[in-house]
Every structure is written in structure tokens, then in C-alpha cells.
């Protein structure tokens, strides 16, 4: 049986929540690394479009709703507002298909908190975003474990919305520190980014947040990470042992179980999920595609493989496909979609 007929036979909704676009304001101030994606056939058009082309890809993968966020790269407060306004227009045009994560100016924590409130409080012209997606560091190398970011974590907790910490391009310092002289520049960039490096960067960022006491100060904070947990599940027990000596009020296991969610986002393999299913609460696992870098139809094939593998019950599969995301993000998805 094909993936399409298998999933249509039970008519289950599917929600994805690591799905990207590039705004008009970002295109006006191009990021050099993002610009390199123009050379990839078909990718850039999908990246910049918020309408029929995107929905056609969703339909090919039976995706009911896509939670859209902006691509990597720093934007100023005014650029973030323009970007979020553009995305809100798309959500308003396709309310049953699109939802939004806010873009935040993370170089300016107070401005980031203000923009999160604007987009997630329900006061923005009838469109309520369901959280924010932020780069794992700014282009200058700023991480979010300092006390200046408490204003953002406090606002996210008050609004009861999650912050998705997503990988971004390495800083120039990292490029310099890890330059491999015997490989081509594009291979070096791949190793430091989507090939490996930026996933470990997110993992280290989560450990920094934990070590600096963010989860002690904000015990109800909700954080999402992608790509099968950005390597943390495979080191989880070791992290637990090492971090037990850091003097935090709550153990890393308690934080993992209560403050963190993860998505599959384009990692079409069952091996990492097998690990996650053994050490992570099943209601913390959410399906995602990573559009336009991955295709929804390929994700559907992976869902079929997962169902046929016998690794999960029908109830767990429903949770991964849509229920866990709907509960976390307070999305009203028609079960008959």
C-alpha cells in the first residue's frame, strides 16, 4: 500500500511546524549565506512564496496545517515587524492551512519580547501567532543564556507560547576556528552547518540555558528543538550525569520531560526515532518537514515507513502527526481534514 492510500484510509490530520519562508524585507537586505540558496533549483521560489505553490507541496504530503517561520539571519526590529506583518497576511488568507511563528530581533531582548507580545497576544488585527522561532545565536555570536533575555522568557511564559530554537549559519569566528584546509569551502560550510555543526550548536545552547538557571527561573518555559532533538537524545543519560553536579534546582531530566519538545524536521530515518522513543515522553515528539529544504511527499513516505515498522502504536502515531502539536500550540485542526 502506498503512503498516500495508507494515510487517506484513516483521514488523519498532519501538522508541520518547522517550515520556512524568506520575507520581502529580508530579500531587500540579503544575507550572503541565504543568497547561496538561489543556486539550488526550485528552492528559492519555494522559500519566498506563501500561497498556492506551498499548499501544493503540503497537499502532496497530506499536510493539513503548516506553522510557518522565517529563515535564518538577523533582522532589525522594524524588519521583524514587516516580516511578521507579511506572514500574518498569508495566515489571514489561508487560515485553515497556515499558522505563524513570530520572527524576533534577538540582538535586542526587550524589543524581542515586545514583538512576541504583539504577535501572540491576539491583539494583532485578528491574527494570533502561536509562538516564535529564533536562530540559535545572532550573527555576532550572542546566545540567550544571559539575564538580559529574562524579559523574553518571562513574556513567553506569560503568553504560554513556545520558543523554537532553530539552527543558523555559523559565525565568522566559528568558520575561522574550524576551517578545514584540505576540503573545499562549500564542504567546510556544510560540515559546520546542516551537515553537523549547527545541530550540535543548538544542543550546546540548550545546555547553556540549563546551566545558567533559565529553567529554574522560568519553570513553565516551553522550548522546541528540531531535527530529532539536535543530538541531545543520544547523549541524554551522559548529560544527566554530568549536569547533576551543576547545582541546579531541577535536574536536566526534569527539564527534558517538562520544558522541551522536539520535531523530526526533515530527518527521514527511523534509527534516531528509535532512541527518542526509549528516552523521551511520546507526547513531546512532533512531526515536521523542514520545507522548502525538504518535501512534504518525502515526509509522507517516512510516516508510512514508521507506521509499517511497528515502532509506535496508532495512538503514538496520531500524537506525532498532529495531536502533540495541536495541544502545545493550541491549534484547532479539523479532524476530518
Amino acid at each position: 500500500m502506498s503512503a498516500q492510500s495508507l494515510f487517506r484510509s484513516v483521514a488523519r490530520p498532519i501538522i508541520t511546524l518547522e517550515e520556512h519562508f524568506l520575507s520581502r524585507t529580508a530579500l531587500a537586505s540579503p544575507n550572503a549565506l541565504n543568497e547561496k540558496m538561489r543556486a539550488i533549483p526550485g528552492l528559492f521560489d519555494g522559500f519566498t512564496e506563501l500561497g498556492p505553490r506551498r499548499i501544493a507541496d503540503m497537499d502532496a504530503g497530506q499536510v493539513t496545517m503548516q506553522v510557518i517561520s522565517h529563515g535564518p539571519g538577523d533582522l532589525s526590529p522594524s524588519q521583524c515587524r514587516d516580516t511578521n506583518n507579511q506572514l500574518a497576511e498569508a495566515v489571514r488568507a489561508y487560515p485553515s492551512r497556515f499558522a505563524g511563528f513570530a520572527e524576533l530581533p534577538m540582538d535586542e531582548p526587550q524589543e524581542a519580547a515586545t514583538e512576541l507580545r504583539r504577535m501572540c497576544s491576539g491583539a494583532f488585527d485578528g491574527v494570533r501567532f502561536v509562538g516564535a522561532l529564533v536562530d540559535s545565536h545572532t550573527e555576532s555570536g550572542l546566545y540567550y543564556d544571559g539575564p538580559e533575555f529574562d524579559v523574553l522568557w518571562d513574556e513567553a511564559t506569560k503568553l504560554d507560547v513556545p520558543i523554537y530554537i532553530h539552527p543558523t549559519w555559523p559565525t565568522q569566528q566559528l568558520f575561522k576556528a574550524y576551517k578545514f584546509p584540505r576540503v573545499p569551502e562549500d564542504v567546510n560550510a556544510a560540515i559546520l552547518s546542516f551537515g553537523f555543526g549547527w545541530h550540535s550548536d543548538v544542543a550546546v545552547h540548550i545546555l547553556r540555558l540549563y546551566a545558567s538557571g533559565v529553567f529554574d527561573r522560568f519553570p513553565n518555559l516551553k522550548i522546541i528543538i528540531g531535527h530529532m532533538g539536535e543530538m541531545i537524545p543520544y547523549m541524554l543519560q551522559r548529560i544527566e550525569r554530568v549536569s547533576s553536579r551543576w547545582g541546579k534546582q531541577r535536574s536536566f531530566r526534569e527539564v527534558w520531560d517538562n520544558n522541551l519538545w522536539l520535531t523530526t524536521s526533515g530527518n527521514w530515518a527511523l534509527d534516531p526515532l528509535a532512541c527518542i522513543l526509549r528516552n523521551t515522553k511520546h507526547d513531546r515528539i512532533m512531526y515536521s518537514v523542514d520545507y522548502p529544504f525538504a518535501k512534504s511527499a518525502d515526509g509522507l513516505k517516512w510516516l508510512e515507513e514508521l507506521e509499517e515498522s511497528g515502532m509506535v502504536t496508532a495512538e503514538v502515531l496520531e500524537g506525532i502527526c498532529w495531536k502533540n502539536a495541536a495541544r502545545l500550540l493550541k491549534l484547532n485542526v479539523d479532524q476530518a481534514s
Side-chain angles (χ1 to χ4, degrees):
M1 182 180 292
S2 71
Q4 193 174 53
S5 61
L6 179 68
F7 272 74
R8 283 185 178 170
S9 67
V10 294
R12 61 167 61 87
I14 297 176
I15 297 173
T16 62
L17 58 147
E18 190 184 310
E19 322 305 325
H20 310 294
F21 88 110
L22 196 61
S23 67
R24 293 186 293 260
T25 191
L27 286 169
S29 303
N31 174 296
L33 290 168
N34 284 347
E35 284 293 297
K36 290 186 177 182
M37 291 184 286
R38 287 184 183 273
I40 302 175
L43 176 65
F44 214 73
D45 290 341
F47 207 17
T48 55
E49 192 262 1
L50 288 169
R53 181 190 182 111
R54 183 176 295 259
I55 289 174
D57 180 88
M58 292 166 61
D59 289 345
Q62 296 179 222
V63 174
T64 310
M65 178 172 283
Q66 193 181 82
V67 184
I68 305 172
S69 55
H70 199 256
D74 293 351
L75 297 179
S76 70
S78 63
Q79 288 176 316
C80 286
R81 288 191 291 273
D82 288 345
T83 291
N84 292 329
N85 292 348
Q86 181 185 350
L87 180 53
E89 292 172 8
V91 174
R92 190 179 294 109
Y94 301 96
S96 66
R97 306 304 303 273
F98 295 162
F101 278 136
E103 172 76 0
L104 304 180
M106 296 302 286
D107 268 321
E108 302 183 43
Q110 180 60 64
E111 291 284 352
T114 298
E115 185 64 7
L116 182 70
R117 186 185 319 117
R118 183 177 82 99
M119 299 310 301
C120 297
S121 65
F124 180 73
D125 199 18
V127 175
R128 182 186 69 85
F129 280 26
V130 295
L133 183 144
V134 301
D135 291 348
S136 58
H137 57 75
T138 66
E139 291 176 11
S140 65
L142 179 65
Y143 291 80
Y144 316 138
D145 51 322
E148 66 271 25
F149 284 96
D150 281 4
V151 65
L152 175 62
W153 308 135
D154 184 54
E155 191 64 48
T157 301
K158 288 177 180 176
L159 292 166
D160 192 28
V161 295
I163 304 293
Y164 199 133
I165 298 180
H166 184 272
T168 190
W169 300 109
T171 63
Q172 287 304 308
Q173 296 95 318
L174 284 174
F175 270 121
K176 183 177 179 180
Y178 288 96
K179 183 174 177 58
F180 306 114
R182 286 172 292 278
V183 301
E185 183 179 344
D186 61 334
V187 176
N188 187 63
I191 292 170
L192 293 179
S193 54
F194 45 82
F196 192 90
W198 69 15
H199 303 295
S200 61
D201 184 74
V202 175
V204 170
H205 198 157
I206 295 298
L207 295 183
R208 290 176 63 151
L209 295 177
Y210 175 75
S212 64
V214 167
F215 296 107
D216 286 343
R217 296 194 298 279
F218 302 98
N220 296 319
L221 180 62
K222 298 175 178 179
I223 298 289
I224 307 171
I225 53 179
H227 309 106
M228 296 288 188
E230 308 290 14
M231 305 188 181
I232 292 177
Y234 327 119
M235 298 293 289
L236 183 57
Q237 282 73 23
R238 184 175 178 85
I239 292 170
E240 288 181 60
R241 289 194 297 272
V242 172
S243 63
S244 67
R245 302 192 290 269
W246 296 353
K248 299 297 110 184
Q249 297 172 25
R250 303 164 71 222
S251 69
F252 189 82
R253 167 59 75 170
E254 186 176 356
V255 168
W256 183 254
D257 287 345
N258 294 283
N259 300 92
L260 292 162
W261 283 255
L262 60 84
T263 75
T264 62
S265 55
N267 195 342
W268 309 136
L270 294 183
D271 290 350
L273 186 62
C275 170
I276 290 166
L277 289 167
R278 292 187 62 174
N279 65 12
T280 300
K281 288 184 175 181
H282 294 172
D283 65 357
R284 301 291 155 142
I285 308 167
M286 301 179 292
Y287 173 66
S288 287
V289 170
D290 205 2
Y291 179 88
F293 307 104
K295 296 184 182 301
S296 299
D298 292 333
L300 188 61
K301 293 175 185 176
W302 181 81
L303 287 174
E304 179 193 33
E305 184 182 359
L306 173 59
E307 183 163 39
E308 292 183 341
S309 73
M311 289 170 55
V312 295
T313 65
E315 181 181 5
V316 170
L317 184 62
E318 289 287 310
I320 292 172
C321 283
W322 72 279
K323 284 186 176 179
N324 298 339
R327 186 181 305 113
L328 174 64
L329 304 178
K330 304 179 182 68
L331 290 170
N332 183 19
V333 178
D334 182 2
Q335 295 188 31
S337 296

